[in-house]
Amino acid sequence: MSDPSGPSDLLDRAAALDAADPLAACRDLFVPAGAGAEEVVAYLDGNSLGRPLRATADRLADLVRHDWGTRLIRSWDEQWMELPLRLGDRLGAVCLGAAPGQTVVADSTTVLLYKLLRAAVAASGPDRPEIVLDTENFPTDRYVAQGVAAETGARLVWVEPEPEAGVTPEQVAAAVGPRTGVVLLSHVAYKSAWLADLPAITRIAHEAGAMVLWDLCHSAGAVPVGLDEHGVDLAVGCSYKFLNGGPGAPAFAYVAARHQDRLRQPITGWMGHAEPFVMGPDYRAGGGMRGWISGTPPVLGMVGIEDTVDLIAEVGPAAVRAKGSALGRFVIEAVDEVLAVHGVRIASPRADDRRGAHVTLAHPRSRDLCAQLWRDGIVPDYREPDGIRLGLSPLSTSYAEAARALLRIEELLASES
Ligand SMILES: *Cc1c(COP(=O)(O)O)cnc(C)c1O
């Protein structure tokens, strides 16, 4: 008789869940993760760098040979000038709940955060000089806000959420007031995976007369957002995590249609000009999201985004979200069963509707454990101070991968004690 919570049982349950997974076939669409000594036995870092689709490898090669190699500079007119707006609309429709004309693909998240936050602070005016943000947000969000504050004299009002949870509507309500210009938050917290209550927090900010800027880096491609439905003002996000755009692939920005004429972004480059090729003496912003572009669009990095957005459209964003939640539930239950006795804690929300698509484990030896897991071909990531973050990419991660990682952690901790 096998131990009901033992290793073989966990692998059996993972196999059964993989067999019943409606998205299981998606895994074969990705470039295989190594072979032989190079083999990755569990990739749990798709929330830092998503795996490439096979289609992307082929389309990148085609782009080099045909669109770039043969059509050469004619491709700018034929397709590339429109690509940041066309792909933005598609991404907006499939993943963000955004009607056309409000999303553009450009720059990096960091640069777009600066552009949107700077524009929002300017539009808020001198009577609303405060930016509300939180101490647990991703470093670049905090650093960009500090830079904007230094540049403009804006004052930063810090919310301090529980590190293993995240910002609540009550905390935002207590922090906003008649002097708040902008509330800057992540939808899914990069460490804990806390899924903020975007509808409630957006409403609270609006009731105080402020705008909200949501960072969607850990939502886009994993958790549906509903930007239009909830009246969000501004949003940014990256494309190399759950959207599998590849290293350095560009970010996206959303500016609600009602703000587009009122807000002015600060990096007034030629590609955002109403008529870039007139090359006139003065800057004149292009209409709509065109005006949020600054320099030459990063075309190569957009190929992978489009392939993943197509795949999400095909299988349905709700199925993607359901798989991410189910993987998280599987991990949490397995940790309770096999790792809790070794002192491993869940440092993420347990409720599916408050958790994005990763689960963070906390243990004093996390740093060493992570290093050993990488040597074993199991790839999560380590986050200060004591977290092992298990990224659960709904399209590419199997239950078996999660089980292998947890069982290896169990072995490593058992051999210590
Ligand atoms: C990954 C991530 C970023 C990354 O910013 P880059 O400019 O792409 O390096 C920003 N914010 C959050 C919340 C992230 O998770």
Side-chain angles (χ1 to χ4, degrees), residues 53 68 169 249 387:
L53 285 165
W68 176 13

Side-chain angles (χ1 to χ4, degrees), residues 254-399:
Y254 165 92
V255 180
R258 64 185 178 282
H259 293 310
Q260 287 176 9
D261 291 337
R262 197 166 72 86
L263 267 57
R264 284 286 162 252
Q265 64 102 343
I267 307 179
T268 51
W270 75 301
M271 277 284 171
H273 193 279
E275 294 178 297
F277 294 102
V278 172
M279 305 196 167
D282 297 313
Y283 181 76
R284 184 159 51 84
M289 292 312 289
R290 168 77 59 202
W292 294 81
I293 295 174
S294 295
T296 301
V299 170
L300 293 175
M302 295 191 206
V303 172
I305 307 174
E306 182 150 35
D307 291 332
T308 293
V309 170
D310 285 347
L311 181 56
I312 294 172
E314 193 183 316
V315 301
V320 172
R321 171 66 176 141
K323 168 87 181 284
S325 294
L327 278 165
R329 216 156 44 235
F330 174 75
V331 166
I332 289 170
E333 283 167 12
V335 168
D336 287 345
E337 284 171 26
V338 300
L339 292 181
V341 292
H342 297 292
V344 175
R345 269 187 313 111
I346 300 290
S348 291
R350 285 174 175 268
D352 286 357
D353 61 357
R354 283 274 75 85
R355 188 182 67 246
H358 66 274
V359 173
T360 300
L361 314 186
H363 189 274
R365 287 191 44 221
S366 283
R367 185 197 295 270
D368 297 342
L369 285 170
C370 244
Q372 182 59 48
L373 290 170
W374 277 49
R375 287 192 286 275
D376 298 334
I378 295 171
V379 186
D381 66 22
Y382 170 72
R383 281 291 175 271
E384 291 286 347
D386 61 355
I388 298 180
R389 221 173 44 155
L390 305 176
L392 305 167
S393 291
L395 296 169
S396 60
T397 308
S398 64
Y399 293 89

Side-chain angles (χ1 to χ4, degrees), residues 42 152 162:
T152 60
E162 292 294 329

